[in-house]
Amino acid sequence: MFFILSGFIICYVLPKNFHIKQFYPFIKRRLIRIEPPYIASIILLLVLNHLSHNLTGINQSIDWTNAFFHLAYLNSFNLGPYLNPVYWTLGIEFQFYILIALFFPLINKTKHVIVFMFLSLMLPYLNAYLPEGYITIIPYTPLFGLGILLYFYKFTKLIDRNQYVIITAFLLVQVYFYFNISFVLVSFLTLLILNFWKLDNRIITYLSKISFSLYLTHVIIGGKIINLGLRFFQTEFSRYFLFLIAFSASILFAHLFYLIFEKPAINFSKRINYAHNKAA
């Protein structure tokens, strides 16, 4: 769902006349938008690991070289595990930013979007030739492709309904062969939501607003609470209560994290304009 949504949203927020000369402003905007809260979450994780070591006596030694690789998402290239298991998707996401900034000017102006989508069907098979342990965008191109294709269908005239349905079907088959049927079902559900969902309310808006902060910190906060609490909450019923505590604490902390780290990063990223947009 995350990768399909990214393919859709990033195409939507790019200027309609996006030019390759705007590559660097786009990357700067994404870095400023993502990197400060990401780094803040890494620091938070390291601090809490140190504190939990003092409380539990479990060794939580820090590999500082590995931690440094996080800053440029280099752990994706078999340079050590991510400290937080959810970070791997950010590594894939940043690879997508680079590729979409390079190829969007081409596929946004011609029927090349159809050729591009069919070529993407072959990319996952290239993953077999990469060294073991590399986490790259290649296997996930059909998922990003589903979001990109939906954007072009909904907001441009580059593809019609029949083309959209046919290429979407091919991409879903690709998802099935590379992953499994559950990925296909979730992908199809995601496309239905993006196509037809109309309901909006304050709860949905609020959770959408803090979603990135929640993504970054829910394992760090909720996971720590559950791991520390399991020794005290021993019955099945009490562990449901522990989950509610962890869930509520994760939401509350994500709210504070959003206000302190993410919102300022969002505001600052908006100051980076696409300088070449006026000349395009």
Side-chain angles (χ1 to χ4, degrees):
M1 294 183 78
F2 178 57
F3 293 149
I4 293 173
L5 185 61
S6 293
F8 180 75
I9 291 296
I10 294 302
C11 289
Y12 182 80
V13 299
L14 281 170
K16 300 301 182 283
N17 55 349
F18 183 82
H19 192 273
I20 191 64
K21 293 181 180 179
Q22 297 164 311
F23 175 90
Y24 291 110
F26 168 72
I27 296 297
K28 285 180 184 178
R29 285 173 70 104
R30 300 316 299 172
L31 277 175
I32 293 172
R33 167 70 177 85
I34 291 175
E35 202 76 1
Y38 170 59
I39 293 174
S41 73
I42 294 173
I43 295 172
L44 172 67
L45 176 62
L46 295 175
V47 170
L48 290 183
N49 281 349
H50 177 73
L51 293 176
S52 65
H53 166 65
N54 294 337
L55 290 173
T56 64
I58 300 174
N59 184 22
Q60 294 276 8
S61 59
I62 300 171
D63 182 344
W64 289 106
T65 301
N66 177 52
F68 178 77
F69 286 153
H70 280 62
L71 302 183
Y73 312 102
L74 296 177
N75 305 68
S76 295
F77 302 103
N78 203 20
L79 294 176
Y82 280 107
L83 294 169
N84 184 341
V86 304
Y87 288 159
W88 75 270
T89 57
L90 278 183
I92 301 297
E93 183 78 356
F94 199 76
Q95 294 174 41
F96 170 65
Y97 294 156
I98 294 174
L99 289 178
I100 195 64
L102 291 174
F103 287 102
F104 189 82
L106 173 64
I107 64 178
N108 189 39
K109 293 183 178 180
T110 71
K111 289 285 186 178
H112 291 170
V113 63
I114 299 176
V115 177
F116 178 80
M117 287 302 161
F118 275 111
L119 287 176
S120 73
L121 296 175
M122 306 305 299
L123 285 177
Y125 298 103
L126 297 178
N127 199 57
Y129 299 96
L130 292 175
E132 186 177 355
Y134 278 44
I135 306 174
T136 72
I137 192 176
I138 291 175
Y140 306 97
T141 49
L143 298 172
F144 285 107
L146 287 169
I148 295 170
L149 190 66
L150 180 60
Y151 162 79
F152 279 104
Y153 172 63
K154 287 180 69 74
F155 299 108
T156 77
K157 296 181 179 179
L158 293 181
I159 58 174
D160 58 32
R161 180 179 297 177
N162 291 335
Q163 292 167 335
Y164 172 71
V165 170
I166 292 172
I167 303 175
T168 295
F170 273 104
L171 289 171
L172 289 173
V173 170
Q174 180 81 351
V175 170
Y176 172 74
F177 280 110
Y178 203 84
F179 297 102
N180 54 52
I181 190 63
S182 64
F183 274 70
V184 175
L185 295 176
V186 173
S187 298
F188 186 69
L189 175 62
T190 304
L191 293 176
L192 289 178
I193 292 172
L194 290 175
N195 261 302
F196 302 112
W197 186 273
K198 300 296 183 182
L199 176 64
D200 191 15
N201 56 46
R202 284 189 288 182
I203 294 176
I204 293 174
T205 300
Y206 171 72
L207 291 176
S208 298
K209 182 173 68 174
I210 69 166
S211 61
F212 183 54
S213 292
L214 183 61
Y215 158 86
L216 288 173
T217 62
H218 75 279
V219 173
I220 302 172
I221 300 302
K224 289 290 185 187
I225 291 174
I226 289 175
N227 289 336
L228 293 174
L230 283 175
R231 66 187 65 192
F232 305 107
F233 294 78
Q234 308 246 334
T235 67
E236 183 177 358
F237 178 79
S238 67
R239 288 184 173 180
Y240 283 116
F241 184 65
L242 174 62
F243 168 77
L244 290 176
I245 294 174
F247 181 81
S248 302
S250 297
I251 296 290
L252 176 61
F253 188 86
H255 175 84
L256 298 174
F257 192 88
Y258 169 81
L259 294 176
I260 297 171
F261 297 107
E262 186 183 357
K263 187 175 181 181
I266 292 173
N267 293 335
F268 189 41
S269 71
K270 291 178 179 178
R271 299 179 186 178
I272 306 296
N273 56 46
Y274 292 99
H276 295 88
N277 198 37
K278 295 180 180 179

